[in-house]
Amino acid sequence: MSLAVRFSEYGTTDVLRVVDVPAPVPGPGQVRLVVRAAGVNPFDWKVMQGFMRQMMPLDLPAGLGSDVAGVVDEVGEGVTAFAVGDEVLGASLTPGYAQSALADAGALVAKPAGLSWDVAGTLAGSGGTAWTVIELLKVIQGETLLIHAASGGVGTFAAQLAVARGARVIGTASPDNHERLRALGVTPVAHSEGLADRVRAIAPDGVDAVLDASGHGEIPMSIDLAGGPERVLTLLAFDAADLGIQVHTDGPRGNTVRALHDILALIEEGRLQVPVWRTFPLTEAAAALDLSRTGHVGGKIVLLP
């Protein structure tokens, strides 16, 4: 048996329970992990509350989480890339808020020996999504990228990936996150009235591309700053699709392994930081999600089963 976080109805964290479930059995091409760390993402509480039920209907009871790092303790038929005892990280098939989870071997990479478990457990979802949207926006050296909510999970990764490409990044965030963004090579601006004027003061000719990781009504302004909708992408403003922008809802979109290799290389070179703000035991998953829901976080939140 294995402890896992489950919910039998949609709602706030009051619906969460930590229960004993049978340890999953890997099928062909799969491995089972003893989970050492599971990243907590805003997407998780949105699933729990039912905000994603139209796009992602669940058979309840269900679990949460897909960012994991752990130790392989069983391999399925045909798996040759990993063996029992290997330390890995990536995306899980079964819910990651658990002591045991399954993953496709092709969605995992080896965990570098010097990488902490808490950081390893945060990379696949936010990092993979950020890598994918930077590719979709075709950000290149010398361009200016505006990121709304640059201090958030995806925003922090996207900003650093763009800076690593040689782009200038302007990032919106609350003032208490500005110093942290500056340390990442980002020019921060306050997300408040007069935002467009503050961006134009930094980039008088506008920006080349915009990533909206906020979803708080920034799309018309973003289109204006970018000179059109073609290189404006949102992760949250689903109702703005008819404006001609890109709406991205499917995370890394099959790019997990490529993204992780790039991210790990940048971490090793000291060019990408992953600030872990708080860690919680599995039994306190509700507290971790409540903290994530506030939106006022200073880095990644991680469960350590």
Side-chain angles (χ1 to χ4, degrees), residues 37-237:
V40 174
N41 295 302
F43 181 80
D44 301 337
W45 59 259
K46 292 173 185 177
V47 169
M48 173 191 70
Q49 292 197 251
F51 297 155
M52 312 300 291
R53 72 176 81 182
Q54 297 300 320
M55 292 183 292
M56 197 181 85
L58 298 176
D59 292 325
L60 300 177
L64 297 169
S66 61
D67 286 7
V68 295
V71 180
V72 175
D73 75 335
E74 189 172 338
V75 298
E77 180 183 352
V79 174
T80 58
F82 300 108
V84 172
D86 285 350
E87 297 181 348
V88 297
L89 63 98
S92 63
L93 280 171
T94 59
Y97 291 16
Q99 291 178 329
S100 186
L102 296 182
D104 278 326
L108 299 172
V109 300
K111 184 184 84 67
L115 189 71
S116 67
W117 283 112
D118 53 3
V119 169
T122 70
L123 301 182
S126 295
T129 298
W131 188 95
T132 298
V133 298
I134 292 297
E135 287 284 305
L136 290 171
L137 286 170
K138 300 180 173 62
V139 176
I140 60 173
Q141 183 175 358
E143 291 192 322
T144 298
L145 170 66
L146 171 63
I147 301 179
H148 296 296
S151 63
V154 173
T156 299
F157 278 105
Q160 295 180 88
L161 290 168
V163 168
R165 290 186 175 205
R168 176 172 65 164
V169 177
I170 302 170
T172 72
S174 59
D176 56 346
N177 284 314
H178 283 192
E179 194 56 42
R180 183 161 66 91
L181 288 177
R182 287 190 188 95
L184 302 178
V186 177
T187 302
V189 291
H191 188 280
S192 56
E193 187 175 351
L195 172 59
D197 292 335
R198 287 191 291 277
V199 173
R200 287 200 181 277
I202 300 167
D205 296 326
V207 302
D208 297 290
V210 182
L211 167 59
D212 169 39
S214 169
H216 289 115
E218 300 91 347
I219 299 304
M221 171 185 59
S222 298
I223 293 172
D224 182 55
L225 287 167
E230 295 81 12
R231 295 184 70 192
V232 177
L233 183 150
T234 184
L235 301 174
L236 295 164

